[in-house]
Amino acid sequence: MDGYDGDLIENLGAAKMTIDNNHGVGYISLYELMPGLTAWIYNINFNKDLVIDMRFMEDRPYYFGYNVSGYQLQKFPEEVDYKKIQQGQNFVIISKPNSSSEFVIPKNISYKCCYIIINPKLLNESKVASKLKLVSDLAESFKLKGDSDPYRYFGNIDARIGTYADIVLKNKRTDITGRLITEGAILRMLGSQIEAHAHDSSTHNFKPALTKSKLSRITNIGEYILSNISEKISIDEISLHLRISPKKLQSGIRFLYGYSANEYLTRLRLEHSKELMHSTEMNISEICFAVGYQSKSYFSKIFLDTFGNTPSAYRKSYEDANLLYDISYRSLAEDSLTVKNVDEIINIAREFNPKFKITGSIIFHRNIFFQIIEGPKKEVLTLFKNICNDRRHKDIQVMWRGFKIKREFDEWAMATISDEGELEVVIQGNTKNLELSNVLGKLDRSAMESESLWRKVRNIIKLDANESAA
C-alpha cells in the first residue's frame, strides 16, 4: 500500500490506515491478537484495480478470508486464469514456502473483506498450550506435507461466518471494549471457517443445490429487507428484486441462515427493533410500526418467544444498567454564524448541560463544529435531536454513537485548533496545547471537513481527558 497517502493511526497491537484521495475511499485495519495470529480488515472502494503480489514465507502461514461485500480474483504464478472469490464466500490459501500468490481487488466496488493470517512457527514458539493446540488442529485439518504444492480451498457461500466478519467491520469502538469485541469476533470467525472446511472435506466437497453466484446474490437480502423494514414484504417481492425464483430463494435462505424465509424476515425485524430501543427514544408502539408490525400485542408475543422478555421488559433491563451514552459528531456552521453566536452556544452548554448530567467537549474552528456528548441516554438523545434541528449548522456527520461504562470528562470542555495545527484544549480545568501538525497533516478546507481528521481529534481528546483524570 505504499504511495496511497493514507492517514495512519497506530495503537498497541493495532493499526488503521484511512484513505480519502484519488486512490480511493475507505480504510484498512490490522489487529495482532497474539504473535502468530493477525487479522487484516478491508473496507474500501479503490479508484483503480489493486494488484497484490503476496510473497509467502518459509514458515508457510495459513491465510483465511471471507468476502463480506464485493469480490476479488486470485491465481498462483503457474496459472493463466484468475479464480473468482465471490461475496459471502469462505476461502483458505496456503502456498509453497518462498512462492507467491496474486490477488486483484477490482476498482469501483464496495470491497469489504476480513483476512486472518496464522504463522504456525510463531505460535509454536510461545509454548502456550492453547496456541500449540491450534497449530496441531490446523495441521490435522489440512494435512500438509512439507514443501507440498499450493493449497487452495474456496468454500461455499456461508452467512454464518459472515455474521462474525460483519461485526469486525462495523465495530468502530477504539476503547478496550471495542478491541475485545473485535478479537472475539475474529476468533469465532476463524473457528467457523475451520469447521466449514472440515464439513466440506468430510462430505466429499458438499455442494448446495444453488450456484455460488446465486447464493452470493442472496447474501444481499438483509440489506434489502432493512431498507424496507417498515413495509409488508413478500417472498415474491424479494425474489423479483434478487432475480431468483421464490423456490430457490427459500432454499438459499435455509442453506445460508438455517431459517425459513419467513423466520429470517422475522428475526431481522426483531433484531432491528432492539437496535431502535438502544439508539432512539421511540416508544414500543412506534418501534412496533417502524419494523413492520401492525399489532403491538403480536409484536410483544414474538419478541417474548424469541428473546425471553417482552419489549418493555427488555428495554427496562437495559436502561436499569445505568450505562452512559456517547455521541460524537462533526458539522459545518452556516456562513452567517458569528463569534458572538459561538460564545452564546458555549455558554448555554456550560450552563444547562450539567443540569442534565451531560458532559463532553466542543471544538469550533474555521466554521466547523466537533462535539463529544456523554451522559444518560435519554438526555443525550434529546440534546442531539435539538442540535440536529438547529439551523446554525448543517451537514451533520456522526463519528460514533453507543454505550460506555465511564465518562471521559468531568465537566464541559472547549477546544480550538489554530492555523498551525496546534490543539488548545481545556480539559478537567487544565489547558493543554498539543502539536498536531504531524498527525493531522495540512489543514486545508477538505482536510478539515474529512471524517478521518475528526476521528483522530476525538481519540486525542479522549486520551488527554483520561490522562488528566488520572
Side-chain angles (χ1 to χ4, degrees), residues 295-359:
S295 168
K296 182 180 175 182
S297 60
Y298 179 68
F299 170 59
S300 295
K301 178 183 181 304
I302 59 173
F303 194 99
L304 175 63
D305 291 344
T306 304
F307 301 118
N309 261 332
T310 64
S312 298
Y314 174 81
R315 169 172 263 179
K316 186 175 187 302
S317 66
Y318 204 87
E319 292 178 344
D320 283 350
N322 292 321
L323 295 176
L324 294 164
Y325 200 72
D326 180 324
I327 293 179
S328 303
Y329 76 91
R330 183 235 70 180
S331 66
L332 308 181
E334 289 291 347
D335 293 337
S336 59
L337 198 71
T338 65
V339 175
K340 183 178 180 181
N341 296 144
V342 176
D343 289 340
E344 291 173 354
I345 292 171
I346 302 302
N347 291 333
I348 290 173
R350 285 176 172 155
E351 179 181 355
F352 287 97
N353 287 345
K355 297 178 182 179
F356 300 98
K357 299 181 179 179
I358 292 176
T359 52

Side-chain angles (χ1 to χ4, degrees), residues 167-264:
I167 291 172
V168 176
L169 280 158
K170 290 182 177 178
N171 179 34
K172 296 182 179 179
R173 298 189 62 161
T174 57
D175 57 5
I176 294 176
T177 302
R179 182 175 173 81
L180 290 175
I181 291 171
T182 297
E183 290 185 0
I186 288 171
L187 292 173
R188 286 175 174 83
M189 174 183 159
L190 175 62
S192 297
Q193 289 183 281
I194 295 173
E195 182 182 9
H197 173 269
H199 178 269
D200 286 358
S201 301
S202 63
T203 52
H204 305 287
N205 199 23
F206 166 72
K207 300 288 184 183
L210 280 74
T211 65
K212 290 181 180 179
S213 176
K214 284 186 171 62
L215 286 171
S216 181
R217 211 181 305 161
I218 292 174
T219 61
N220 293 310
I221 186 175
E223 181 179 345
Y224 175 76
I225 292 174
L226 288 174
S227 64
N228 298 277
I229 196 80
S230 63
E231 307 297 328
K232 185 177 180 180
I233 306 172
S234 69
I235 297 302
D236 287 341
E237 288 173 323
I238 299 173
S239 171
L240 184 63
H241 175 74
L242 295 178
R243 306 187 309 282
I244 298 173
S245 71
K247 184 177 180 180
K248 289 185 176 181
L249 178 63
Q250 293 269 15
S251 174
I253 293 173
R254 174 72 70 178
F255 175 79
L256 289 172
Y257 302 102
Y259 296 111
S260 70
N262 287 328
E263 288 171 339
Y264 177 72

Side-chain angles (χ1 to χ4, degrees), residues 72-194:
Q72 60 185 301
L73 307 173
Q74 182 273 337
K75 73 181 182 70
F76 292 119
E78 65 275 10
E79 295 177 322
V80 176
D81 298 324
Y82 288 96
K83 306 292 185 182
K84 184 176 181 180
I85 308 174
Q86 302 193 64
Q87 176 171 306
Q89 189 166 20
N90 168 35
F91 61 94
V92 184
I93 294 176
I94 312 166
S95 188
K96 290 180 64 174
N98 299 313
S99 65
S100 65
S101 173
E102 189 173 287
F103 292 86
V104 178
I105 302 172
K107 64 182 178 181
N108 300 328
I109 65 168
S110 176
Y111 178 69
K112 299 178 181 179
C113 184
C114 295
Y115 283 92
I116 299 174
I117 303 172
I118 299 176
N119 186 317
K121 181 180 179 181
L122 291 178
L123 288 177
N124 272 325
E125 289 175 352
S126 69
K127 306 301 181 183
V128 177
S130 60
K131 299 179 184 179
L132 296 175
K133 180 68 165 53
L134 174 58
V135 174
S136 64
D137 287 348
L138 288 171
E140 175 62 27
S141 296
F142 294 95
K143 295 182 172 59
L144 300 176
K145 297 179 180 179
D147 295 346
S148 58
D149 292 334
Y151 181 87
R152 174 172 53 207
Y153 159 76
F154 288 178
N156 293 305
I157 307 300
D158 195 326
R160 293 164 297 175
I161 298 172
T163 300
Y164 302 122
D166 202 44
I167 291 172
V168 176
L169 280 158
K170 290 182 177 178
N171 179 34
K172 296 182 179 179
R173 298 189 62 161
T174 57
D175 57 5
I176 294 176
T177 302
R179 182 175 173 81
L180 290 175
I181 291 171
T182 297
E183 290 185 0
I186 288 171
L187 292 173
R188 286 175 174 83
M189 174 183 159
L190 175 62
S192 297
Q193 289 183 281
I194 295 173

